[in-house]
Amino acid sequence: MKIAYISTYPPRECGIATFNQNLMRAISANFPERKSLSQGGFVVAVNDSENLQEYEYPEEVKYVIRQNHQKDYIRAANFINTSSADVCIMEHEFGIYGGESGIYILPLLNRLEKPLISILHTVLREPSYVQRIIVREIAEQSAKIVVMSQRAVEFLTTIYEIPAEKIQIIEHGVPDLEAPENNPVQNISAFKNKKVLLTFGLISRNKGLEVVIKALPKIVAKHPDAMYVVLGNTHPGVVKHSGEEYRDYLKSLAAQLKVSNHLTFINKFVAEEELINYLTAATVYVTPYHNEAQITSGTLSYAVGSGAAVVSTPYWHATELLADNRGRLFDFKDAESLSETVNSLLDNEQALNEVKQNAYEYGLHLRWPVIGAEYIRIAQESVSRHDFRDKILRNSIVDPEIMPAFNLAHILRLTDDTGIVQHAKYGIPNLKEGYCLDDNSRALIMALMAYQRNKSPEALNLLPIYLSYIHYMQTDDGNFRNFLSFDRRYLDEVGSEDSFGRTIWALGHLIGCAAHNSYREFAMELFHRSYPHFQKLEHIRGMANTIIGISLYLKAIPTDEGMVNELIRLTTPLVEAYKKTSSPEWHWFEDVMTYDNAILPLALLHSCEITSNEEVRAIAMESMAFLDKLTLSNGYLSPIGNDGWYYRGGTFPTFDQQAIETMAMVLMYFQAYETLREPEYIEKMFLSYKWFLGENTLRAPLYDHETKGCCDGLMPTGINRNQGAESTLAYMISHLTVLKAFELEYEYNKFGQKIEVC
């Protein structure tokens, strides 16, 4: 069995790197016939540098990911998939992967065709929204999640809602070494004839070393031969930003307390063979960390494994590992308690030896070869149960069970008696930004769809609010303003053509399916009053939105010949724009694809449904196929980003991806099915909808199960966590469209087998 490891790796100075190398060696130790680590697999190493040659990696490192290069992660997945590896082990820590909280790792995991075992070195009790998403997605893609403490299991099952059967506790491994009979460290001046308090590891402020120094005066008063030894380099990240400021502070503190002669820094990174000598030469090992939220500590595990007498603050890992008299605990930042605890051990040799013996005996089952055997067992189980076809099916079959329950909570939060508020800060309405016509028109469409679906009384109550806003924003000549302040002051005289068209769309929808006749009559009045402005439209997206509204109007009132003629007139500029601009390589209406792109073929599909114009239908299909090729070619939706847009012959912009792009895609495919009755469009509609749920470039859901809102966009580093009206309404309309498609399932299923999506 060969294993691909995804991790940081030595010579990079990083605790995760050391852990992964030790794990690789531990697994290899169970196969004595192997002559080198590379015979058992390979490492995909994560660099903290842009320079691929930054580290002189050993031969087992076969591929390098630059932390902040997204494409490196995709290429790494392809490298692993085409390798001879049978299984993949990933070390996970939020800080070692790129993007917000390390979100760049998710696309890699989603593309893996090998079974995955993920080792979580940190499990947060209060994760951010993105951190929770990342851990849940890692669990979804993994055959097993490995953690090193019972507390981590509790958090994963309760906070992250990960099934307990998917989680395995395997404690942190420790060196398979014994103390030498003649320990050379005991002859070092800092250790010779001294009672040594030792701390080792990379130095940074959160380690709390100053607490030990503050405790030294009372310890030295009773034990003048006491010496505190700090073994390890300053953390590279600290050196980069602050130099040796923290180490200098510790020296200054020791001088102030007159214990400088009882403090020694050994500023080096030691190998395990040497580390065991330091640990066994020490009298007491101290971990004075400030924060309880440490689920795993490798240094603590090493100390217990070596049989050291450990004194520690009660962070999570320490409370478990030092139970049953395997160590002593003292309160966070409590130098008084630390001095009393250390003195009680130094005063009582029998108690000190009991703690050491208990720790040593417990540490025997933590030796790396024993731990390696446990990983081999779960790796073999994962391989035997793995079927990549299950993953393909899970990612492609239309499954209503994956859809969240429809919930208007966030819409209600954003809506007051004036209308729906335009923006939000996270899930909280941002009243400073006021209201806009675009969002209230979309909200009217959403409320109508929700009421049509299940006669929702909440949706019915929202209808007059949004309709009233539209009425309030209509000018005397029938045009519409767009923006309104929170205190109901008009902020413009004439709105955009986009907002005009979206309003005509909403009014056409209402005319076709009004809950009450009075609403229909009101909508008719507003619609006809705006009619003179149809002929003043100059931009194709304003025309496209208006075309959809007219088409919906004509489905309700097909005898209005004047409106049919207007539909044909407005469709003509889109057809002419397409003919003028398109070429064999560029099937589009303009030389640049900007925003809300699917709205253009969607409008033509609506138009040809009314007019049966085959040329219009052909252009709709060609432009839709072109959009397909650009945005669905990876097997998931990656809409054209708003960060630069897509120019003919230019580079496709991956980010900033917006929810309205996805809504337009969902509506376009549903309308394509309504027009052509070809089941492939239902599949593409579902695939587009799943963008909201995490089937996207970053493998991160934008729908927020907590607030019932939708995040504003997909950015290069993660998710825009603001949940304004536009994105939330885009999700809601898409969701309701999918539910409507379910009602037609009996129809498209009769066409037989599923169609492969490009």
Side-chain angles (χ1 to χ4, degrees):
M1 181 177 62
K2 288 193 174 182
I3 301 173
Y5 300 83
I6 305 171
S7 176
T8 54
Y9 205 73
R12 179 176 172 180
E13 292 185 7
C14 166
I16 304 295
T18 303
F19 178 94
N20 194 82
Q21 186 179 58
N22 285 333
L23 176 59
M24 200 171 184
R25 289 172 175 170
I27 289 174
S28 186
N30 285 271
F31 300 94
E33 70 279 5
R34 292 179 180 171
K35 304 302 181 184
S36 68
L37 290 181
S38 59
Q39 286 185 288
F42 60 87
V43 177
V44 173
V46 183
N47 261 19
D48 55 353
S49 166
E50 297 293 296
N51 181 8
L52 290 171
Q53 310 305 319
E54 177 77 12
Y55 300 107
E56 193 173 333
Y57 286 118
E59 65 170 355
E60 59 266 24
V61 175
K62 302 299 184 185
Y63 198 91
V64 177
I65 294 173
R66 292 166 294 180
Q67 179 174 337
N68 295 312
H69 282 246
Q70 285 181 293
K71 290 183 179 179
D72 285 4
Y73 293 83
I74 306 304
R75 292 166 183 153
N78 295 334
F79 181 84
I80 295 169
N81 289 338
T82 56
S83 74
S84 59
D86 301 294
V87 64
C88 188
I89 292 178
M90 179 195 66
E91 310 289 351
H92 183 264
E93 177 67 68
F94 290 111
I96 65 175
Y97 301 111
E100 183 182 355
S101 298
I103 200 169
Y104 287 177
I105 192 63
L106 297 187
L108 187 162
L109 301 186
N110 183 59
R111 286 167 172 79
L112 275 184
E113 297 173 8
K114 314 285 185 177
L116 173 67
I117 297 165
S118 297
I119 304 171
L120 304 186
H121 290 264
T122 296
V123 181
L124 300 174
R125 181 171 59 183
E126 297 178 349
S128 70
Y129 177 83
V130 172
Q131 288 165 340
R132 186 171 183 269
I133 281 174
I134 290 170
V135 172
R136 285 174 60 87
E137 183 64 19
I138 288 171
E140 175 68 23
Q141 300 298 336
S142 301
K144 278 288 183 184
I145 294 288
V146 175
V147 293
M148 303 176 200
S149 66
Q150 184 58 46
R151 182 67 65 94
V153 176
E154 294 171 8
F155 288 174
L156 289 177
T157 54
T158 57
I159 298 168
Y160 299 85
E161 299 176 334
I162 294 169
E165 60 270 16
K166 205 163 199 177
I167 306 168
Q168 178 82 36
I169 294 180
I170 302 180
E171 292 190 75
H172 197 297
V174 302
D176 188 27
L177 298 169
E178 296 287 346
E181 289 187 14
N182 297 311
N183 191 339
V185 170
Q186 291 176 332
N187 295 319
I188 298 174
S189 59
F191 282 77
K192 193 171 185 177
N193 300 320
K194 299 288 196 304
K195 293 176 179 174
V196 174
L197 283 62
L198 176 69
T199 297
F200 86 90
L202 293 174
I203 297 173
S204 60
R205 278 195 175 273
N206 63 340
K207 297 296 177 69
L209 307 185
E210 66 275 12
V211 178
V212 186
I213 294 173
K214 291 175 182 178
L216 278 178
K218 290 194 174 181
I219 295 172
V220 170
K222 293 194 69 174
H223 301 279
D225 54 350
M227 175 68 71
Y228 181 38
V229 175
V230 179
L231 172 63
N233 295 327
T234 302
H235 194 287
V238 174
V239 172
K240 182 177 180 180
H241 296 288
S242 307
E244 293 292 353
E245 179 268 338
Y246 182 52
R247 190 187 294 267
D248 293 341
Y249 158 71
L250 295 174
K251 291 178 180 178
S252 175
L253 178 63
Q256 292 174 25
L257 297 174
K258 297 181 172 51
V259 290
S260 293
N261 293 333
H262 299 271
L263 172 65
T264 299
F265 287 100
I266 302 178
N267 188 12
K268 68 176 182 177
F269 188 83
V270 297
E272 285 185 355
E273 293 78 3
E274 189 178 2
L275 176 60
I276 195 71
N277 296 340
Y278 280 97
L279 287 169
T280 53
T283 312
V284 174
Y285 182 79
V286 186
T287 56
Y289 303 157
H290 286 328
N291 190 349
E292 71 166 352
Q294 185 154 342
I295 212 80
T296 304
S297 169
T299 58
L300 179 68
S301 297
Y302 278 30
V304 169
S306 69
V310 181
V311 175
S312 175
T313 49
Y315 55 90
W316 294 330
H317 193 201
T319 57
E320 290 187 32
L321 197 54
L322 301 183
D324 300 325
N325 198 30
R326 292 191 291 269
R328 295 285 191 273
L329 299 175
F330 68 97
D331 292 335
F332 295 105
K333 300 182 181 181
D334 190 341
E336 181 75 21
S337 175
L338 173 59
S339 62
E340 291 175 0
T341 303
V342 170
N343 281 333
S344 68
L345 287 173
L346 297 182
D347 291 342
N348 188 337
E349 188 172 354
Q350 181 179 350
L352 181 70
N353 289 333
E354 281 182 9
V355 169
K356 286 185 172 184
Q357 185 62 29
N358 291 339
Y360 175 80
E361 290 177 0
Y362 188 82
L364 291 175
H365 89 276
L366 301 181
R367 300 286 177 99
W368 271 119
V370 178
I371 297 297
E374 292 193 52
Y375 277 97
I376 291 169
R377 179 181 58 78
I378 65 169
Q380 289 172 336
E381 289 178 0
S382 299
V383 170
S384 66
R385 295 174 181 173
H386 182 68
D387 186 348
F388 182 59
R389 290 173 300 175
D390 289 344
K391 187 170 185 177
I392 294 173
L393 291 172
R394 185 171 71 245
N395 287 339
S396 63
I397 286 179
V398 172
D399 182 6
E401 295 300 319
I402 71 171
M403 297 176 66
F406 184 75
N407 192 306
L408 287 169
H410 191 53
I411 296 294
L412 293 169
R413 193 178 300 121
L414 292 172
T415 301
D416 60 18
D417 59 352
T418 299
I420 192 165
V421 174
Q422 187 174 186
H423 294 300
K425 293 294 288 182
Y426 300 96
I428 306 302
N430 183 2
L431 304 181
K432 294 179 181 180
E433 300 294 332
Y435 317 84
C436 73
L437 185 64
D438 289 276
D439 290 336
N440 279 273
S441 296
R442 289 191 192 96
L444 180 61
I445 293 169
M446 183 281 301
L448 283 165
M449 293 175 72
Y451 184 71
Q452 279 181 291
R453 169 135 193 96
N454 57 15
K455 297 296 183 284
S456 163
E458 288 179 324
L460 183 63
N461 290 336
L462 291 171
L463 286 174
I465 295 175
Y466 305 138
L467 186 55
S468 176
Y469 181 89
I470 292 171
H471 175 244
Y472 188 65
M473 300 304 282
Q474 189 168 41
T475 60
D476 292 340
D477 68 351
N479 208 337
F480 294 95
R481 296 181 174 93
N482 192 3
F483 298 108
L484 188 72
S485 69
F486 182 64
D487 59 357
R488 297 183 178 177
R489 286 181 294 107
Y490 295 125
L491 299 178
D492 55 5
E493 291 302 317
V494 178
S496 66
E497 288 191 8
D498 285 355
S499 63
F500 179 91
R502 289 180 185 125
T503 305
I504 300 306
W505 180 350
L507 294 173
H509 194 118
L510 179 55
I511 290 165
C513 60
H516 300 306
N517 193 52
S518 60
Y519 291 171
R520 177 179 290 106
E521 291 174 350
F522 193 12
M524 288 280 285
E525 181 180 322
L526 299 178
F527 186 92
H528 284 292
R529 187 184 298 163
S530 66
Y531 176 73
H533 296 278
F534 291 6
Q535 299 180 13
K536 299 177 183 178
L537 295 171
E538 297 177 355
H539 303 289
I540 60 173
R541 280 170 180 76
M543 295 176 186
N545 282 286
T546 304
I547 285 169
I548 297 170
I550 294 173
S551 299
L552 294 171
Y553 168 92
L554 287 170
K555 290 176 83 170
I557 309 173
T559 57
D560 190 334
E561 291 295 331
M563 204 57 71
V564 172
N565 292 333
E566 188 61 28
L567 175 64
I568 295 170
R569 191 194 66 77
L570 281 172
T571 302
T572 301
L574 271 69
V575 171
E576 290 176 348
Y578 184 83
K579 289 179 177 180
K580 179 181 177 181
T581 310
S582 65
S583 69
E585 298 79 30
W586 184 260
H587 298 284
W588 201 245
F589 305 83
E590 300 168 300
D591 286 323
V592 56
M593 301 180 78
T594 56
Y595 64 95
D596 212 3
N597 292 290
I599 208 74
L600 301 177
L602 172 61
L604 295 185
L605 288 168
H606 274 283
S607 179
C608 70
E609 183 184 16
I610 300 297
T611 65
S612 300
N613 186 308
E614 289 300 324
E615 182 184 36
V616 172
R617 189 194 309 271
I619 292 172
M621 300 308 296
E622 284 180 8
S623 57
M624 183 168 62
F626 183 62
L627 198 54
D628 275 1
K629 185 178 179 181
L630 290 172
T631 61
L632 288 180
S633 59
N634 292 322
Y636 56 85
L637 178 65
S638 180
I640 292 162
N642 282 200
D643 184 17
W645 292 336
Y646 183 43
Y647 289 83
R648 187 201 293 251
T651 302
F652 188 92
T654 303
F655 301 100
D656 164 24
Q657 295 181 22
Q658 297 288 307
I660 59 165
E661 301 291 333
T662 302
M663 179 190 79
M665 295 290 283
V666 168
L667 292 171
M668 177 185 71
Y669 288 127
F670 182 71
Q671 185 63 27
Y673 178 76
E674 291 265 82
T675 304
L676 303 167
R677 287 301 192 261
E678 294 179 7
E680 66 172 296
Y681 298 117
I682 292 292
E683 294 206 36
K684 291 178 179 179
M685 180 200 67
F686 274 104
L687 192 61
S688 299
Y689 165 76
K690 288 193 286 186
W691 179 88
F692 292 107
L693 305 184
E695 296 287 333
N696 54 45
T697 309
L698 293 182
R699 297 293 305 166
L702 285 89
Y703 178 75
D704 187 337
H705 291 266
E706 181 179 346
T707 65
K708 315 304 180 188
C710 179
C711 298
D712 278 354
L714 209 58
M715 315 300 288
T717 55
I719 299 170
N720 181 340
R721 287 282 289 115
N722 295 331
Q723 297 170 21
E726 180 182 281
S727 56
T728 299
L729 289 165
Y731 169 77
M732 294 292 185
I733 291 171
S734 299
H735 184 103
L736 289 163
T737 303
V738 169
L739 292 178
K740 188 174 181 181
F742 283 143
E743 297 172 0
L744 303 175
E745 189 174 17
Y746 72 92
E747 182 179 271
Y748 58 77
N749 276 349
K750 73 183 180 184
F751 290 101
Q753 296 298 314
K754 287 165 57 64
I755 308 298
E756 288 297 323
V757 176
C758 65

